Amino acid sequence: MDGIISLGPFMIATDRALAIAAIWAFLAIATWIAARTGSNAGQAGWTAIGIGFVAARLGYVLENLPAFLLEPWTVIAVWQGGFSPWVGVAAAALALLVKMGRRRATVLMLGALGGLSLTHAAVSAAIEPKAKQLPEGLQLTTLTGRPVALDGMRGHGFVLNLWATWCPPCRREMPMVIDVAATSSVPVLLVNQGEPAGRVKAFLSINDMPSDAILLDATQRVAGATGARAYPTTIFVNADGEIVRVHAGEISRAALTSGIRELERKQQ
């Protein structure tokens, strides 16, 4: 699946890996500037990163406030992703000005921050996965054995959430995904990968979860066809049958509803 970097058994989204690399490079440059100028650039760099991180998160929270009001604790669930990069960059720049004042080292630090931010944006845009067609012929089944052909859903956007009962992050996000699916104008299908109906039914019963949006993919054809290598994976498909967004790992309500809104806008 595009947008994922594999490091042995570990996987990380490409955008997160790029952000980590940019932060590391900025801190390394800050240390170099401090040594060359005898300034507090190193300490200021760490302060700027901390303030920028918090500001970027808060910016995203404000952009998706209705979702966070329903689940306030998810504001601190930063592992799910969700940041407003340019809000963070602006806050980091302001922190540098306040921390360092007007001096040559400040100009160098601001230049490094701006250059790395623009480079990160350019690289991210260059490697962003292009929309690709969801393969034809994919067929799922309901818990009662009724076949459901995904080809029949073309003409309308929909969301596929790939999950398994043995997957801890899948279990954490399922109540939220089911809740969103119940009220979404865009179909949200929770597609179990490779498990028998009996096991899935037992899991839903034990956890008191409704089965309305649950489908089965006994042979994991959807995962194979889309290249999903980790669960949960959430796939957003537009009305033309194109995969326009893929979220690998646990998804937040904000990210899920944001993706749904994008599908809704393109259907209008």
Side-chain angles (χ1 to χ4, degrees), residues 80-97:
Q80 295 178 339
F83 296 90
S84 298
W86 292 110
V87 173
V89 171
L94 182 60
L96 288 174
L97 287 170

Side-chain angles (χ1 to χ4, degrees), residues 6-232:
S6 297
L7 300 171
F10 302 102
M11 298 185 194
I12 184 172
T14 304
D15 59 344
R16 298 184 193 183
L18 286 174
I20 292 170
I23 290 170
W24 179 88
F26 175 72
L27 292 173
I29 292 172
T31 300
W32 180 82
I33 291 174
R36 297 282 293 186
T37 62
S39 67
N40 64 340
Q43 182 184 23
W46 281 99
T47 300
I49 289 298
I51 291 175
F53 181 88
V54 173
R57 180 61 173 175
L58 290 178
Y60 182 80
V61 170
L62 292 175
E63 290 172 7
N64 298 274
L65 191 57
F68 285 102
L69 288 176
L70 290 173
E71 297 175 330
W73 71 269
T74 59
V75 170
I76 63 173
V78 295
W79 60 87
Q80 295 178 339
F83 296 90
S84 298
W86 292 110
V87 173
V89 171
L94 182 60
L96 288 174
L97 287 170
V98 172
K99 185 76 173 177
M100 299 183 66
R102 294 184 178 182
R103 61 176 75 176
R104 176 171 172 269
T106 306
V107 175
L108 295 175
M109 289 289 286
L110 290 172
L113 177 65
L116 286 170
S117 298
L118 291 173
T119 300
H120 175 270
V123 173
S124 296
I127 68 173
E128 182 178 2
K130 306 302 181 185
K132 61 180 180 181
Q133 283 289 324
L134 181 71
E136 297 182 356
L138 296 176
Q139 186 161 290
L140 310 173
T141 59
T142 65
L143 289 172
T144 59
R146 178 174 59 84
V148 176
L150 291 183
D151 289 347
M153 302 189 69
R154 293 179 186 270
H156 302 279
F158 59 94
V159 180
L160 301 174
N161 177 262
L162 309 187
W163 68 282
T165 62
W166 48 261
C167 162
C170 299
R171 295 198 296 265
R172 283 196 302 268
E173 72 174 18
M174 273 193 74
M176 178 276 296
V177 177
I178 289 174
D179 182 53
V180 172
T183 58
S184 174
S185 62
V186 171
V188 179
L189 308 177
L190 289 86
V191 184
N192 179 270
Q193 295 297 290
E195 297 183 279
R199 184 181 302 168
V200 175
K201 289 179 182 178
F203 170 82
L204 295 174
S205 177
I206 291 171
N207 291 279
D208 194 26
M209 294 179 182
S211 60
D212 299 351
I214 306 296
L215 294 173
L216 304 177
D217 180 13
T219 59
Q220 303 180 63
R221 287 192 63 200
V222 175
T226 58
R229 293 177 286 172
Y231 302 138

